[in-house]
Amino acid sequence: MKKLYASILTALVGISLFSAVASAAISSNEAIDIVKQSYPNANIYEVEYDHEDGVRVYEIKFTTDTIREGEIDVDVENGKIVKQDIDYYANK
């Protein structure tokens, strides 16, 4: 019986997450395009749907020739960048 409840709960959580992403105003590909407008040479290595301070965001992680690690949160509803964390390589 516990396995049945766990399976049902897992299915409901999955449906809720899918519904949240499906109702997004922008897609993850559009969020990537927004990042690439600011960083055209970005090598995207991770895109994650997340909540940041109550705001639904796509968290996009990337690198470039000059950026060791970049992370940009794009608001799912309006496509605005709400957070940037850029770690540049040290000057040599």
Side-chain angles (χ1 to χ4, degrees):
M1 195 65 154
K2 287 182 183 180
K3 286 184 180 181
L4 176 62
Y5 288 128
S7 296
I8 291 171
L9 181 59
T10 301
L12 290 174
V13 169
I15 290 169
S16 297
L17 180 59
F18 177 76
S19 296
V21 173
S23 67
I26 67 166
S27 69
S28 59
N29 286 335
E30 290 170 313
I32 290 170
D33 290 343
I34 290 166
V35 170
K36 288 207 170 236
Q37 287 174 6
S38 296
Y39 300 96
N41 297 324
N43 297 309
I44 308 293
Y45 66 87
E46 185 177 331
V47 178
E48 183 178 321
Y49 178 83
D50 200 3
H51 286 85
E52 189 74 33
D53 298 324
V55 176
R56 297 183 309 154
V57 297
Y58 290 112
E59 182 179 277
I60 300 172
K61 295 182 180 179
F62 66 97
T63 62
T64 70
D65 291 342
T66 58
I67 297 173
R68 179 187 339 214
E69 182 177 22
E71 181 180 317
I72 294 181
D73 290 354
V74 178
D75 189 312
V76 168
E77 295 303 317
N78 58 30
K80 291 184 180 179
I81 294 174
V82 295
K83 181 178 132 188
Q84 290 190 65
D85 186 13
I86 307 297
D87 183 18
Y88 291 93
Y89 288 106
N91 291 336
K92 295 179 181 181

mmCIF file of all heavy atoms in Angstrom, residues 18-37:
data_model
loop_
_atom_site.group_PDB
_atom_site.id
_atom_site.type_symbol
_atom_site.label_atom_id
_atom_site.label_comp_id
_atom_site.label_asym_id
_atom_site.label_seq_id
_atom_site.Cartn_x
_atom_site.Cartn_y
_atom_site.Cartn_z
ATOM 1 N N PHE A 18 5.485 19.419 -14.717
ATOM 2 C CA PHE A 18 5.245 19.527 -16.153
ATOM 3 C C PHE A 18 4.271 20.660 -16.439
ATOM 4 O O PHE A 18 4.477 21.447 -17.352
ATOM 5 C CB PHE A 18 4.702 18.211 -16.715
ATOM 6 C CG PHE A 18 4.379 18.305 -18.179
ATOM 7 C CD1 PHE A 18 5.387 18.293 -19.124
ATOM 8 C CD2 PHE A 18 3.069 18.433 -18.604
ATOM 9 C CE1 PHE A 18 5.100 18.399 -20.474
ATOM 10 C CE2 PHE A 18 2.772 18.535 -19.952
ATOM 11 C CZ PHE A 18 3.781 18.517 -20.884
ATOM 12 N N SER A 19 3.232 20.790 -15.647
ATOM 13 C CA SER A 19 2.246 21.859 -15.851
ATOM 14 C C SER A 19 2.878 23.225 -15.682
ATOM 15 O O SER A 19 2.588 24.151 -16.428
ATOM 16 C CB SER A 19 1.080 21.703 -14.874
ATOM 17 O OG SER A 19 0.391 20.513 -15.121
ATOM 18 N N ALA A 20 3.748 23.366 -14.688
ATOM 19 C CA ALA A 20 4.397 24.655 -14.449
ATOM 20 C C ALA A 20 5.277 25.035 -15.629
ATOM 21 O O ALA A 20 5.265 26.176 -16.084
ATOM 22 C CB ALA A 20 5.220 24.604 -13.161
ATOM 23 N N VAL A 21 6.041 24.083 -16.149
ATOM 24 C CA VAL A 21 6.908 24.372 -17.286
ATOM 25 C C VAL A 21 6.069 24.587 -18.536
ATOM 26 O O VAL A 21 6.336 25.474 -19.339
ATOM 27 C CB VAL A 21 7.937 23.230 -17.491
ATOM 28 C CG1 VAL A 21 8.720 23.444 -18.773
ATOM 29 C CG2 VAL A 21 8.884 23.153 -16.302
ATOM 30 N N ALA A 22 5.019 23.799 -18.714
ATOM 31 C CA ALA A 22 4.182 23.906 -19.907
ATOM 32 C C ALA A 22 3.463 25.255 -19.972
ATOM 33 O O ALA A 22 3.178 25.755 -21.052
ATOM 34 C CB ALA A 22 3.173 22.768 -19.943
ATOM 35 N N SER A 23 3.185 25.860 -18.815
ATOM 36 C CA SER A 23 2.470 27.132 -18.816
ATOM 37 C C SER A 23 3.415 28.332 -18.865
ATOM 38 O O SER A 23 2.983 29.465 -18.734
ATOM 39 C CB SER A 23 1.578 27.225 -17.576
ATOM 40 O OG SER A 23 2.373 27.299 -16.411
ATOM 41 N N ALA A 24 4.699 28.078 -19.032
ATOM 42 C CA ALA A 24 5.680 29.159 -19.069
ATOM 43 C C ALA A 24 5.456 30.048 -20.285
ATOM 44 O O ALA A 24 5.079 29.585 -21.350
ATOM 45 C CB ALA A 24 7.087 28.565 -19.106
ATOM 46 N N ALA A 25 5.709 31.345 -20.088
ATOM 47 C CA ALA A 25 5.555 32.303 -21.181
ATOM 48 C C ALA A 25 6.679 32.158 -22.203
ATOM 49 O O ALA A 25 6.481 32.416 -23.375
ATOM 50 C CB ALA A 25 5.518 33.722 -20.627
ATOM 51 N N ILE A 26 7.870 31.753 -21.740
ATOM 52 C CA ILE A 26 8.976 31.521 -22.674
ATOM 53 C C ILE A 26 9.469 30.084 -22.487
ATOM 54 O O ILE A 26 9.347 29.506 -21.417
ATOM 55 C CB ILE A 26 10.133 32.524 -22.489
ATOM 56 C CG1 ILE A 26 10.825 32.327 -21.147
ATOM 57 C CG2 ILE A 26 9.663 33.952 -22.685
ATOM 58 C CD1 ILE A 26 12.148 33.035 -21.038
ATOM 59 N N SER A 27 10.059 29.544 -23.523
ATOM 60 C CA SER A 27 10.606 28.195 -23.462
ATOM 61 C C SER A 27 12.060 28.250 -22.997
ATOM 62 O O SER A 27 12.683 29.323 -22.982
ATOM 63 C CB SER A 27 10.525 27.537 -24.841
ATOM 64 O OG SER A 27 11.435 28.167 -25.725
ATOM 65 N N SER A 28 12.607 27.099 -22.670
ATOM 66 C CA SER A 28 14.013 27.055 -22.279
ATOM 67 C C SER A 28 14.911 27.466 -23.446
ATOM 68 O O SER A 28 15.937 28.124 -23.245
ATOM 69 C CB SER A 28 14.388 25.661 -21.767
ATOM 70 O OG SER A 28 14.161 24.690 -22.751
ATOM 71 N N ASN A 29 14.515 27.133 -24.675
ATOM 72 C CA ASN A 29 15.302 27.557 -25.849
ATOM 73 C C ASN A 29 15.289 29.070 -26.011
ATOM 74 O O ASN A 29 16.298 29.667 -26.392
ATOM 75 C CB ASN A 29 14.775 26.885 -27.122
ATOM 76 C CG ASN A 29 15.149 25.414 -27.184
ATOM 77 O OD1 ASN A 29 16.127 25.006 -26.583
ATOM 78 N ND2 ASN A 29 14.371 24.644 -27.895
ATOM 79 N N GLU A 30 14.162 29.701 -25.725
ATOM 80 C CA GLU A 30 14.099 31.167 -25.785
ATOM 81 C C GLU A 30 14.974 31.777 -24.695
ATOM 82 O O GLU A 30 15.633 32.800 -24.915
ATOM 83 C CB GLU A 30 12.658 31.648 -25.654
ATOM 84 C CG GLU A 30 11.808 31.314 -26.871
ATOM 85 C CD GLU A 30 10.327 31.572 -26.661
ATOM 86 O OE1 GLU A 30 9.785 31.158 -25.614
ATOM 87 O OE2 GLU A 30 9.725 32.198 -27.545
ATOM 88 N N ALA A 31 15.015 31.147 -23.518
ATOM 89 C CA ALA A 31 15.879 31.634 -22.440
ATOM 90 C C ALA A 31 17.348 31.528 -22.851
ATOM 91 O O ALA A 31 18.139 32.431 -22.585
ATOM 92 C CB ALA A 31 15.611 30.853 -21.161
ATOM 93 N N ILE A 32 17.702 30.446 -23.518
ATOM 94 C CA ILE A 32 19.076 30.293 -24.025
ATOM 95 C C ILE A 32 19.389 31.399 -25.026
ATOM 96 O O ILE A 32 20.469 31.994 -24.988
ATOM 97 C CB ILE A 32 19.262 28.899 -24.651
ATOM 98 C CG1 ILE A 32 19.257 27.832 -23.558
ATOM 99 C CG2 ILE A 32 20.549 28.843 -25.478
ATOM 100 C CD1 ILE A 32 19.200 26.411 -24.079
ATOM 101 N N ASP A 33 18.453 31.702 -25.913
ATOM 102 C CA ASP A 33 18.651 32.786 -26.887
ATOM 103 C C ASP A 33 18.885 34.124 -26.185
ATOM 104 O O ASP A 33 19.701 34.932 -26.633
ATOM 105 C CB ASP A 33 17.457 32.889 -27.831
ATOM 106 C CG ASP A 33 17.369 31.723 -28.802
ATOM 107 O OD1 ASP A 33 18.380 31.005 -28.982
ATOM 108 O OD2 ASP A 33 16.272 31.521 -29.369
ATOM 109 N N ILE A 34 18.182 34.357 -25.084
ATOM 110 C CA ILE A 34 18.348 35.601 -24.320
ATOM 111 C C ILE A 34 19.765 35.684 -23.762
ATOM 112 O O ILE A 34 20.418 36.730 -23.836
ATOM 113 C CB ILE A 34 17.283 35.689 -23.209
ATOM 114 C CG1 ILE A 34 15.904 35.916 -23.837
ATOM 115 C CG2 ILE A 34 17.618 36.780 -22.188
ATOM 116 C CD1 ILE A 34 14.733 35.686 -22.922
ATOM 117 N N VAL A 35 20.268 34.577 -23.234
ATOM 118 C CA VAL A 35 21.639 34.550 -22.715
ATOM 119 C C VAL A 35 22.630 34.781 -23.850
ATOM 120 O O VAL A 35 23.580 35.555 -23.726
ATOM 121 C CB VAL A 35 21.929 33.216 -21.990
ATOM 122 C CG1 VAL A 35 23.408 33.080 -21.664
ATOM 123 C CG2 VAL A 35 21.082 33.110 -20.727
ATOM 124 N N LYS A 36 22.388 34.153 -24.990
ATOM 125 C CA LYS A 36 23.310 34.276 -26.130
ATOM 126 C C LYS A 36 23.303 35.685 -26.731
ATOM 127 O O LYS A 36 24.269 36.068 -27.396
ATOM 128 C CB LYS A 36 22.997 33.218 -27.174
ATOM 129 C CG LYS A 36 23.406 31.827 -26.697
ATOM 130 C CD LYS A 36 23.713 30.943 -27.854
ATOM 131 C CE LYS A 36 24.338 29.671 -27.379
ATOM 132 N NZ LYS A 36 25.615 29.415 -27.972
ATOM 133 N N GLN A 37 22.260 36.465 -26.488
ATOM 134 C CA GLN A 37 22.270 37.864 -26.936
ATOM 135 C C GLN A 37 23.347 38.645 -26.184
ATOM 136 O O GLN A 37 24.013 39.499 -26.760
ATOM 137 C CB GLN A 37 20.903 38.511 -26.718
ATOM 138 C CG GLN A 37 19.849 38.038 -27.680
ATOM 139 C CD GLN A 37 18.471 38.591 -27.343
ATOM 140 O OE1 GLN A 37 18.301 39.419 -26.450
ATOM 141 N NE2 GLN A 37 17.463 38.123 -28.060
#
